[in-house]
Amino acid sequence: MTTPAVPSVLFVCVHNAGRSQMAAAILTHLGRDRVEVRSAGSAPADTVNPAVVEAMREVGIDISAEVPKVLTVEAVQSSDVVITMGCGDACPYFPGKRYLDWKLDDPAGQGVDAVRPIRDQIEQRIRVLIAELGIEAAG
């Protein structure tokens, strides 16, 4: 008996230092091993935004070891759902993929007080996505 494949989700923003990192971490946390999660940026930064790391730490998710990654064609091709967050035309398009574009404020240059509401909006959208994918959210 084979195990059914889990859905794969790719989060993309410009620098892969804020929104896409938070989204990937929240989906990984809530989806556990029931979903494959990736994140990338069209022009990755050198490090994840420290205010984003702090905002995630506040909700018990440690992303301090994460590193921004460059968006590749392979990452898009191997994902079932591609969620963009302000990467514009830099995101490659492949027929047959499900694309969502989440309009969210950019946490770049913002302090943790400005990042918290963005984090919370992302979590709300992740919970909807989990339900749409038919995944049972953890705790």
Side-chain angles (χ1 to χ4, degrees):
M1 186 163 181
T2 60
T3 305
V6 298
S8 176
V9 179
L10 170 65
F11 295 99
V12 184
C13 66
V14 176
H15 300 297
N16 190 222
R19 295 166 290 191
S20 57
Q21 289 283 350
M22 286 191 284
I26 291 168
L27 181 54
T28 298
H29 178 76
L30 295 176
R32 310 267 169 159
D33 59 351
R34 295 177 293 277
V35 63
E36 183 180 1
V37 183
R38 298 180 185 84
S39 72
S42 53
D46 293 329
T47 60
V48 175
N49 179 334
V52 166
V53 173
E54 178 58 30
M56 294 302 291
R57 184 177 290 122
E58 290 176 355
V59 295
I61 301 174
D62 182 7
I63 63 168
S64 61
E66 293 298 325
V67 177
K69 296 164 278 308
V70 68
L71 177 63
T72 64
V73 169
E74 294 79 16
V76 176
Q77 286 177 320
S78 59
S79 299
D80 299 311
V81 181
V82 179
I83 300 174
T84 59
M85 304 173 179
C87 70
D89 295 334
C91 296
Y93 177 83
F94 292 95
K97 302 290 176 195
R98 179 177 175 200
Y99 287 86
L100 300 171
D101 185 41
W102 289 358
K103 304 279 190 241
L104 297 161
D105 290 337
D106 188 348
Q110 303 291 324
V112 72
D113 288 339
V115 173
R116 285 184 193 111
I118 300 167
R119 174 201 65 205
D120 295 344
Q121 288 175 10
I122 290 171
E123 181 178 349
Q124 290 170 356
R125 291 176 187 216
I126 293 292
R127 288 185 180 279
V128 170
L129 177 67
I130 284 172
E132 289 173 353
L133 293 173
I135 299 168
E136 184 178 329

PDB file of all heavy atoms in Angstrom, residues 62-82:
ATOM      1  N   ASP A  62      10.519  29.231  15.929  1.00  0.00           N
ATOM      2  CA  ASP A  62      11.891  29.729  15.787  1.00  0.00           C
ATOM      3  C   ASP A  62      12.335  29.639  14.330  1.00  0.00           C
ATOM      4  O   ASP A  62      12.481  28.542  13.790  1.00  0.00           O
ATOM      5  CB  ASP A  62      12.826  28.910  16.681  1.00  0.00           C
ATOM      6  CG  ASP A  62      14.269  29.397  16.623  1.00  0.00           C
ATOM      7  OD1 ASP A  62      14.539  30.452  16.005  1.00  0.00           O
ATOM      8  OD2 ASP A  62      15.132  28.710  17.188  1.00  0.00           O
ATOM      9  N   ILE A  63      12.537  30.782  13.699  1.00  0.00           N
ATOM     10  CA  ILE A  63      13.046  30.793  12.321  1.00  0.00           C
ATOM     11  C   ILE A  63      14.432  31.446  12.259  1.00  0.00           C
ATOM     12  O   ILE A  63      14.885  31.830  11.188  1.00  0.00           O
ATOM     13  CB  ILE A  63      12.066  31.487  11.341  1.00  0.00           C
ATOM     14  CG1 ILE A  63      11.856  32.962  11.680  1.00  0.00           C
ATOM     15  CG2 ILE A  63      10.744  30.745  11.286  1.00  0.00           C
ATOM     16  CD1 ILE A  63      11.140  33.742  10.578  1.00  0.00           C
ATOM     17  N   SER A  64      15.099  31.528  13.402  1.00  0.00           N
ATOM     18  CA  SER A  64      16.404  32.211  13.458  1.00  0.00           C
ATOM     19  C   SER A  64      17.462  31.547  12.591  1.00  0.00           C
ATOM     20  O   SER A  64      18.412  32.201  12.163  1.00  0.00           O
ATOM     21  CB  SER A  64      16.888  32.315  14.907  1.00  0.00           C
ATOM     22  OG  SER A  64      17.058  31.017  15.465  1.00  0.00           O
ATOM     23  N   ALA A  65      17.320  30.272  12.287  1.00  0.00           N
ATOM     24  CA  ALA A  65      18.319  29.572  11.470  1.00  0.00           C
ATOM     25  C   ALA A  65      17.974  29.613   9.977  1.00  0.00           C
ATOM     26  O   ALA A  65      18.765  29.143   9.148  1.00  0.00           O
ATOM     27  CB  ALA A  65      18.444  28.123  11.932  1.00  0.00           C
ATOM     28  N   GLU A  66      16.829  30.174   9.625  1.00  0.00           N
ATOM     29  CA  GLU A  66      16.424  30.215   8.211  1.00  0.00           C
ATOM     30  C   GLU A  66      17.295  31.197   7.424  1.00  0.00           C
ATOM     31  O   GLU A  66      17.770  32.199   7.959  1.00  0.00           O
ATOM     32  CB  GLU A  66      14.955  30.618   8.074  1.00  0.00           C
ATOM     33  CG  GLU A  66      13.999  29.583   8.614  1.00  0.00           C
ATOM     34  CD  GLU A  66      14.073  28.251   7.884  1.00  0.00           C
ATOM     35  OE1 GLU A  66      14.304  28.236   6.655  1.00  0.00           O
ATOM     36  OE2 GLU A  66      13.897  27.219   8.555  1.00  0.00           O
ATOM     37  N   VAL A  67      17.476  30.893   6.150  1.00  0.00           N
ATOM     38  CA  VAL A  67      18.271  31.715   5.246  1.00  0.00           C
ATOM     39  C   VAL A  67      17.442  31.965   3.987  1.00  0.00           C
ATOM     40  O   VAL A  67      16.842  31.029   3.456  1.00  0.00           O
ATOM     41  CB  VAL A  67      19.583  30.982   4.860  1.00  0.00           C
ATOM     42  CG1 VAL A  67      20.392  31.790   3.869  1.00  0.00           C
ATOM     43  CG2 VAL A  67      20.396  30.645   6.091  1.00  0.00           C
ATOM     44  N   PRO A  68      17.384  33.212   3.507  1.00  0.00           N
ATOM     45  CA  PRO A  68      16.657  33.474   2.269  1.00  0.00           C
ATOM     46  C   PRO A  68      17.213  32.638   1.111  1.00  0.00           C
ATOM     47  O   PRO A  68      18.426  32.448   0.991  1.00  0.00           O
ATOM     48  CB  PRO A  68      16.881  34.968   2.033  1.00  0.00           C
ATOM     49  CG  PRO A  68      17.072  35.522   3.419  1.00  0.00           C
ATOM     50  CD  PRO A  68      17.868  34.456   4.134  1.00  0.00           C
ATOM     51  N   LYS A  69      16.285  32.125   0.283  1.00  0.00           N
ATOM     52  CA  LYS A  69      16.653  31.258  -0.831  1.00  0.00           C
ATOM     53  C   LYS A  69      16.183  31.877  -2.142  1.00  0.00           C
ATOM     54  O   LYS A  69      15.153  32.539  -2.189  1.00  0.00           O
ATOM     55  CB  LYS A  69      16.017  29.874  -0.652  1.00  0.00           C
ATOM     56  CG  LYS A  69      16.527  29.137   0.577  1.00  0.00           C
ATOM     57  CD  LYS A  69      15.652  27.972   0.969  1.00  0.00           C
ATOM     58  CE  LYS A  69      14.437  28.303   1.770  1.00  0.00           C
ATOM     59  NZ  LYS A  69      14.548  29.092   2.969  1.00  0.00           N
ATOM     60  N   VAL A  70      16.924  31.595  -3.206  1.00  0.00           N
ATOM     61  CA  VAL A  70      16.572  32.124  -4.516  1.00  0.00           C
ATOM     62  C   VAL A  70      15.469  31.272  -5.136  1.00  0.00           C
ATOM     63  O   VAL A  70      15.438  30.047  -4.985  1.00  0.00           O
ATOM     64  CB  VAL A  70      17.807  32.202  -5.447  1.00  0.00           C
ATOM     65  CG1 VAL A  70      18.324  30.818  -5.831  1.00  0.00           C
ATOM     66  CG2 VAL A  70      17.490  33.024  -6.685  1.00  0.00           C
ATOM     67  N   LEU A  71      14.544  31.941  -5.806  1.00  0.00           N
ATOM     68  CA  LEU A  71      13.461  31.278  -6.506  1.00  0.00           C
ATOM     69  C   LEU A  71      14.012  30.551  -7.723  1.00  0.00           C
ATOM     70  O   LEU A  71      14.733  31.139  -8.532  1.00  0.00           O
ATOM     71  CB  LEU A  71      12.419  32.311  -6.943  1.00  0.00           C
ATOM     72  CG  LEU A  71      11.242  31.796  -7.761  1.00  0.00           C
ATOM     73  CD1 LEU A  71      10.414  30.811  -6.948  1.00  0.00           C
ATOM     74  CD2 LEU A  71      10.395  32.960  -8.242  1.00  0.00           C
ATOM     75  N   THR A  72      13.664  29.273  -7.848  1.00  0.00           N
ATOM     76  CA  THR A  72      14.099  28.491  -9.003  1.00  0.00           C
ATOM     77  C   THR A  72      12.885  27.966  -9.762  1.00  0.00           C
ATOM     78  O   THR A  72      11.803  27.799  -9.190  1.00  0.00           O
ATOM     79  CB  THR A  72      14.963  27.280  -8.580  1.00  0.00           C
ATOM     80  OG1 THR A  72      14.152  26.386  -7.806  1.00  0.00           O
ATOM     81  CG2 THR A  72      16.186  27.722  -7.783  1.00  0.00           C
ATOM     82  N   VAL A  73      13.087  27.695 -11.028  1.00  0.00           N
ATOM     83  CA  VAL A  73      12.042  27.100 -11.849  1.00  0.00           C
ATOM     84  C   VAL A  73      11.653  25.747 -11.266  1.00  0.00           C
ATOM     85  O   VAL A  73      10.476  25.390 -11.220  1.00  0.00           O
ATOM     86  CB  VAL A  73      12.529  26.973 -13.310  1.00  0.00           C
ATOM     87  CG1 VAL A  73      11.586  26.119 -14.133  1.00  0.00           C
ATOM     88  CG2 VAL A  73      12.694  28.350 -13.929  1.00  0.00           C
ATOM     89  N   GLU A  74      12.634  25.000 -10.773  1.00  0.00           N
ATOM     90  CA  GLU A  74      12.382  23.680 -10.204  1.00  0.00           C
ATOM     91  C   GLU A  74      11.442  23.758  -8.993  1.00  0.00           C
ATOM     92  O   GLU A  74      10.576  22.908  -8.821  1.00  0.00           O
ATOM     93  CB  GLU A  74      13.687  22.990  -9.809  1.00  0.00           C
ATOM     94  CG  GLU A  74      14.583  22.634 -10.973  1.00  0.00           C
ATOM     95  CD  GLU A  74      15.395  23.807 -11.522  1.00  0.00           C
ATOM     96  OE1 GLU A  74      15.512  24.859 -10.835  1.00  0.00           O
ATOM     97  OE2 GLU A  74      15.890  23.699 -12.655  1.00  0.00           O
ATOM     98  N   ALA A  75      11.631  24.772  -8.154  1.00  0.00           N
ATOM     99  CA  ALA A  75      10.776  24.923  -6.977  1.00  0.00           C
ATOM    100  C   ALA A  75       9.330  25.145  -7.389  1.00  0.00           C
ATOM    101  O   ALA A  75       8.408  24.588  -6.795  1.00  0.00           O
ATOM    102  CB  ALA A  75      11.269  26.071  -6.102  1.00  0.00           C
ATOM    103  N   VAL A  76       9.125  25.938  -8.431  1.00  0.00           N
ATOM    104  CA  VAL A  76       7.766  26.194  -8.912  1.00  0.00           C
ATOM    105  C   VAL A  76       7.188  24.929  -9.539  1.00  0.00           C
ATOM    106  O   VAL A  76       6.055  24.538  -9.246  1.00  0.00           O
ATOM    107  CB  VAL A  76       7.738  27.369  -9.921  1.00  0.00           C
ATOM    108  CG1 VAL A  76       6.335  27.565 -10.483  1.00  0.00           C
ATOM    109  CG2 VAL A  76       8.235  28.646  -9.272  1.00  0.00           C
ATOM    110  N   GLN A  77       7.970  24.268 -10.369  1.00  0.00           N
ATOM    111  CA  GLN A  77       7.495  23.066 -11.050  1.00  0.00           C
ATOM    112  C   GLN A  77       7.099  21.964 -10.074  1.00  0.00           C
ATOM    113  O   GLN A  77       6.167  21.213 -10.329  1.00  0.00           O
ATOM    114  CB  GLN A  77       8.564  22.535 -12.008  1.00  0.00           C
ATOM    115  CG  GLN A  77       8.704  23.370 -13.258  1.00  0.00           C
ATOM    116  CD  GLN A  77       9.812  22.863 -14.156  1.00  0.00           C
ATOM    117  OE1 GLN A  77      10.877  22.467 -13.689  1.00  0.00           O
ATOM    118  NE2 GLN A  77       9.571  22.890 -15.452  1.00  0.00           N
ATOM    119  N   SER A  78       7.799  21.857  -8.952  1.00  0.00           N
ATOM    120  CA  SER A  78       7.540  20.761  -8.022  1.00  0.00           C
ATOM    121  C   SER A  78       6.515  21.122  -6.944  1.00  0.00           C
ATOM    122  O   SER A  78       6.300  20.349  -6.022  1.00  0.00           O
ATOM    123  CB  SER A  78       8.840  20.284  -7.386  1.00  0.00           C
ATOM    124  OG  SER A  78       9.462  21.337  -6.694  1.00  0.00           O
ATOM    125  N   SER A  79       5.863  22.271  -7.080  1.00  0.00           N
ATOM    126  CA  SER A  79       4.862  22.702  -6.099  1.00  0.00           C
ATOM    127  C   SER A  79       3.462  22.611  -6.689  1.00  0.00           C
ATOM    128  O   SER A  79       3.255  22.892  -7.868  1.00  0.00           O
ATOM    129  CB  SER A  79       5.139  24.137  -5.655  1.00  0.00           C
ATOM    130  OG  SER A  79       6.407  24.218  -5.045  1.00  0.00           O
ATOM    131  N   ASP A  80       2.503  22.215  -5.850  1.00  0.00           N
ATOM    132  CA  ASP A  80       1.105  22.161  -6.275  1.00  0.00           C
ATOM    133  C   ASP A  80       0.456  23.539  -6.205  1.00  0.00           C
ATOM    134  O   ASP A  80      -0.380  23.886  -7.035  1.00  0.00           O
ATOM    135  CB  ASP A  80       0.318  21.205  -5.369  1.00  0.00           C
ATOM    136  CG  ASP A  80       0.858  19.787  -5.434  1.00  0.00           C
ATOM    137  OD1 ASP A  80       1.056  19.271  -6.546  1.00  0.00           O
ATOM    138  OD2 ASP A  80       1.092  19.209  -4.358  1.00  0.00           O
ATOM    139  N   VAL A  81       0.830  24.306  -5.178  1.00  0.00           N
ATOM    140  CA  VAL A  81       0.273  25.638  -4.960  1.00  0.00           C
ATOM    141  C   VAL A  81       1.439  26.615  -4.839  1.00  0.00           C
ATOM    142  O   VAL A  81       2.391  26.363  -4.097  1.00  0.00           O
ATOM    143  CB  VAL A  81      -0.580  25.695  -3.675  1.00  0.00           C
ATOM    144  CG1 VAL A  81      -1.176  27.085  -3.473  1.00  0.00           C
ATOM    145  CG2 VAL A  81      -1.677  24.639  -3.699  1.00  0.00           C
ATOM    146  N   VAL A  82       1.367  27.718  -5.581  1.00  0.00           N
ATOM    147  CA  VAL A  82       2.382  28.775  -5.512  1.00  0.00           C
ATOM    148  C   VAL A  82       1.680  30.031  -5.014  1.00  0.00           C
ATOM    149  O   VAL A  82       0.738  30.519  -5.648  1.00  0.00           O
ATOM    150  CB  VAL A  82       3.030  29.027  -6.891  1.00  0.00           C
ATOM    151  CG1 VAL A  82       4.062  30.148  -6.794  1.00  0.00           C
ATOM    152  CG2 VAL A  82       3.661  27.745  -7.434  1.00  0.00           C
TER     153      VAL A  82
END
